Amino acid sequence: ARLSGTTLEKIRKDIKESMIVQLMMVNRVRYFAAPTPKEVYEYYEANKEKFDAPEKIELGLIIIDGNAQKIHIAELQKTLKADPGQFAALARKYSSGPGAASGGNLGWIERRKLRPEFQKELQSFHRGDVFGPLTTADGVAFIRVIDHKEAQNGDVGKIYQEIKKRLENERAKSVQDEYIKKLRKKAIINYYFD
């Protein structure tokens, strides 16, 4: 404090004033930026697709291409039927498809974006089910359902707080700027020149 030419008491007073101003700004922004329940609902209705999650399936894939069909497809089918847990090891060993190195795992895919031949097979399924052999343009395929997420329609009641926070954040900057502009218009500012 001594080096800057001020006292400890002056620094405390400046910090206290600064905190009071910040608190006033936060309260003002919170009050004027807070959306009404009607505004939250209208935002939800206008942006429903942002809050909906389509049905997704986590799939494993083994593709046996035309050149490698020396492998006995029937044997592979028999092994998978007897022990579906062998899928990842068999994918690493025999698959020429994407994700072969990671046990054939393709990750999460929206069900509506699946290949038609896969959609046809996956009319009814459970986690862990293995389907195949399926003839595809890439060769013979086996697919495994690793996991499944049902489609979720965003319920405004469940996501109300998320939407409210989003709207508050969008409005906060403009409310703060308007308030500062208003204060500057009312302020008396004196300039002293030497």
Side-chain angles (χ1 to χ4, degrees):
R2 287 184 196 150
L3 295 175
S4 64
T6 187
T7 64
L8 193 55
E9 191 57 39
K10 171 82 169 113
I11 292 173
R12 284 187 182 138
K13 183 181 175 202
D14 289 347
I15 290 173
K16 184 177 178 183
E17 286 176 4
S18 176
M19 289 174 65
I20 290 170
V21 169
Q22 288 298 320
L23 187 59
M24 285 174 48
M25 289 296 290
V26 167
N27 286 335
R28 177 130 181 128
V29 167
R30 187 180 299 147
Y31 179 78
F32 285 103
T36 65
K38 181 181 178 191
E39 290 170 327
V40 170
Y41 182 74
E42 287 171 352
Y43 182 87
Y44 168 76
E45 285 296 320
N47 298 284
K48 268 186 177 179
E49 69 283 348
K50 290 181 182 177
F51 304 105
D52 292 344
E55 180 181 13
K56 292 183 179 182
I57 301 176
E58 185 179 13
L59 286 181
L61 174 70
I62 297 175
I63 294 274
I64 310 299
D65 66 19
N67 300 330
Q69 287 197 13
K70 298 174 229 160
I71 300 167
H72 302 288
I73 300 296
E75 267 185 56
L76 192 56
Q77 183 180 13
K78 186 178 174 182
T79 304
L80 288 171
K81 188 171 187 163
D83 185 9
Q86 291 289 317
F87 192 93
L90 293 170
R92 283 187 202 91
K93 187 173 181 180
Y94 298 116
S95 182
S96 62
S102 63
N105 190 332
L106 299 176
W108 290 97
I109 303 168
E110 288 182 28
R111 185 172 181 165
R112 62 186 169 88
K113 292 183 179 179
L114 288 173
R115 297 169 96 166
E117 57 265 33
F118 294 170
Q119 285 184 9
K120 184 178 176 186
E121 284 296 316
L122 293 171
Q123 295 298 317
S124 174
F125 61 87
H126 295 91
R127 286 182 181 93
D129 286 352
V130 176
F131 298 90
L134 309 170
T135 304
T136 69
D138 301 320
V140 176
F142 290 88
I143 54 175
R144 180 173 188 215
V145 178
I146 298 170
D147 205 352
H148 176 245
K149 291 180 185 174
E150 292 289 339
Q152 295 179 352
N153 296 325
D155 176 15
V156 73
K158 292 179 182 175
I159 55 178
Y160 178 85
Q161 290 301 324
E162 177 188 335
I163 296 171
K164 183 178 176 186
K165 194 71 171 163
R166 184 179 292 185
L167 290 174
E168 283 176 356
N169 290 340
E170 287 175 6
R171 294 177 179 180
K173 180 71 174 135
S174 64
V175 168
Q176 185 175 355
D177 291 345
E178 286 175 30
Y179 185 55
I180 289 171
K181 188 188 273 185
K182 185 177 173 184
L183 288 176
R184 285 186 178 147
K185 280 184 181 179
K186 290 181 176 182
I188 299 171
I189 301 172
N190 294 319
Y191 295 97
Y192 298 96
F193 298 100
D194 290 342

